[in-house]
Amino acid sequence: MSVKIGEHIDLGEFPLLLAPMEDVSDPPFRFVCKQNGVDMMYTEFISSEGLIRDAAKSRQKLDIFEYERPIGIQIFGSDIEHMRQSAEICSAARPDLIDINYGCPVKNVACRGAGASLLQDIDKMVAMTKAVVEATDLPVTVKTRLGWDDNTKNVYEVAERLQDIGIKALAIHGRTRAQMYKGQADWTMIRDVKRNPRVKIPIFGNGDVDSVEKAAAWRQEYEVDGIMIGRASIGYPWIFREVKHFFNTGEHLEGPTIAERVAVCETHLTKSIEWKGEKTGIFEMRRHYANYFKGIPNFKEYRMKLVSLMEVADIHEVLQEIKHNFAEEIA
C-alpha cells in the first residue's frame, strides 16, 4: 500500500523523509540527499514574521527546485493571522505541501510562543492550523513532539484534533520539548497514535534513527507509515540509500568510499556556490566538512585548511589531497 499525503502526493510503500533542519536542509544539502534516495524533503523552517516583513533570509528559504519534488515548505509562528498570511505567500512558491512546525524546542522559538510552545495551548494550535488549512489549496501537514514535558504528553489529542480540521499527515518526534534532544526518543506513544482507530492520516516517526538496523527494527515495532531522518543524515546523505537497500534485500550496502565522500562534498560545495554566490557558498559549506569526513584519522589539519580557504580551486585541491591520502583508510 502506497503512503499518500492528500490526493496527489504518492510516497510509495514506506517513505524516508528528510527532517527540516535549521542551517542544514537548504537546497544544496537537499540535492545530495535526493541523489541518495530520500522520498520527501522540507525546507528549513521559515518564520511567518520574516515572510510578512519580506525579510531576505526568509524569502530565500522559499527557493525550491523541480528535482526536489515532492517538497514541503515548513513555517512557524505565534500569531494566527500572520501564519495565515504566510501560508498564502508559501503557496505562491508552489511547493507540494505546507508543513507547520509545532516541535522546535529552541528558546528563541519556543519561548516566543511558536514551535513546541503551542503544545501548551492546544486550542490555539488547532485555531492556527485551521487558519493555515483554509488559506491554501495545498495539503497541510504538521511536525510536533510528544508534549511540552512529561506531565503534558498530549500528542494523542493533537493527532485527533488536527486531523479533524484537515491536516493530511503528522510527523512526531519522540521527545517532549523539555527533553530538547537529550535522552532517548520514545516511539511507543508514536505507535499508540498510529494504532488509534480514529487516526486515518499517515504518521511518520522521528528521533534517533541513525542506522539501518534501527530503521528496520522500528519500522516493524512501531508500525509507522514512514521514518523521518534528521541529524544522522548530516554529512552522511548515504543513510537513505543504505536504509532502502536493507529494506529491499536484508543486506548491508557498503559505506561510501573516500572517493565518494569527496565527490559528494564537492557536489555540495558546487551547489552551495550556485545558490548563494561564491563568498557565502564557501563560508556556509564550512560547517559540513567535519561531518563528511568523520572517522578519518588526523583529519583536523585538513579541516583547518578547508575552513580557512576562500578560493574554490584551493578547496578542490585539498579535497583531492584527502581523496589521495586516505584512499587506504576508507576503501
Side-chain angles (χ1 to χ4, degrees):
M1 283 266 297
S2 267
V3 174
K4 290 191 169 179
I5 297 178
E7 292 175 26
H8 304 297
I9 303 173
D10 187 332
L11 298 178
E13 187 186 343
F14 188 86
L16 301 179
L17 289 68
L18 174 65
M21 293 177 283
E22 175 70 350
D23 291 331
V24 176
S25 52
D26 59 8
F29 181 71
R30 299 198 302 260
F31 182 87
V32 296
C33 288
K34 191 71 176 180
Q35 284 188 312
N36 281 282
V38 71
D39 294 298
M40 193 166 88
M41 306 186 289
Y42 303 82
T43 62
E44 300 168 80
F45 70 171
I46 307 175
S47 159
S48 57
E49 307 297 327
L51 285 176
I52 290 165
R53 288 199 316 271
D54 208 20
K57 190 176 180 191
S58 296
R59 284 282 178 172
Q60 189 179 37
K61 287 181 182 178
L62 291 175
D63 285 356
I64 53 178
F65 299 90
E66 284 303 310
Y67 63 77
E68 298 183 296
R69 297 188 185 281
I71 184 161
I73 291 177
Q74 192 188 67
I75 54 175
F76 73 98
S78 59
D79 182 279
I80 293 173
E81 174 57 20
H82 289 176
M83 284 289 280
R84 187 193 66 74
Q85 290 175 37
S86 67
E88 292 177 349
I89 294 167
C90 290
S91 298
R94 295 185 57 250
D96 297 285
L97 61 87
I98 292 174
D99 188 73
I100 308 174
N101 181 308
Y102 293 134
C104 180
V106 300
K107 265 186 185 172
N108 67 355
V109 174
C111 294
R112 291 181 182 171
S117 174
L118 275 300
L119 285 162
Q120 298 176 102
D121 188 347
I122 306 302
D123 288 344
K124 183 177 178 182
M125 180 194 280
V126 169
M128 183 178 284
T129 308
K130 189 168 189 283
V132 171
V133 168
E134 290 174 354
T136 180
D137 293 330
L138 297 169
V140 174
T141 62
V142 162
K143 183 164 191 270
T144 191
R145 289 183 168 231
L146 303 179
W148 178 257
D149 57 26
D150 281 345
N151 300 317
T152 56
K153 289 183 176 175
N154 46 16
V155 73
Y156 305 137
E157 179 188 354
V158 166
E160 287 190 4
R161 292 184 66 184
L162 295 189
Q163 176 185 263
D164 289 349
I165 54 159
I167 72 163
K168 301 302 183 189
L170 179 66
I172 305 169
H173 182 102
R175 289 181 173 86
T176 63
R177 188 272 168 177
Q179 284 180 277
M180 303 293 284
Y181 294 100
K182 298 190 177 106
Q184 285 189 314
D186 174 10
W187 282 51
T188 56
M189 289 184 74
I190 304 175
R191 178 177 58 203
D192 292 343
V193 171
K194 179 61 196 167
R195 283 180 173 174
N196 180 350
R198 272 208 63 212
V199 174
K200 308 296 185 191
I201 58 174
I203 301 296
F204 302 123
N206 174 232
D208 293 354
V209 177
D210 55 10
S211 67
V212 294
E213 295 87 355
K214 208 176 271 187
W218 290 9
R219 174 183 183 175
Q220 297 301 321
E221 187 176 350
Y222 297 112
E223 303 165 21
V224 289
D225 294 295
I227 287 174
M228 181 180 277
I229 297 175
R231 287 175 292 168
S233 68
I234 299 173
Y236 205 85
W238 302 278
I239 191 165
F240 299 106
R241 76 174 187 188
E242 289 178 11
V243 169
K244 283 190 163 181
H245 184 80
F246 193 79
F247 284 169
N248 292 333
T249 67
E251 296 173 359
H252 285 270
L253 194 63
E254 286 290 320
T257 62
I258 192 68
E260 280 185 283
R261 291 185 185 220
V262 168
V264 171
C265 186
E266 288 184 322
T267 299
H268 194 161
L269 172 64
T270 300
K271 290 290 176 186
S272 188
I273 290 167
E274 282 176 7
W275 187 53
K276 292 196 171 174
E278 191 163 311
K279 189 177 177 184
T280 306
I282 287 172
F283 180 76
E284 296 208 348
M285 189 63 195
R286 290 175 177 177
R287 65 172 74 105
H288 294 284
Y289 295 125
N291 294 309
Y292 273 117
F293 300 107
K294 202 177 280 178
I296 292 178
N298 308 314
F299 183 69
K300 187 178 178 185
E301 172 194 338
Y302 288 99
R303 188 182 74 81
M304 297 309 287
K305 273 190 200 174
L306 287 167
V307 300
S308 63
L309 295 171
M310 284 307 300
E311 298 295 327
V312 183
D314 295 338
I315 296 169
H316 283 300
E317 195 175 307
V318 173
L319 289 171
Q320 289 304 309
E321 197 180 316
I322 291 167
K323 181 167 84 171
H324 176 73
N325 289 351
F326 293 105
E328 301 302 316
E329 302 281 355
I330 300 178

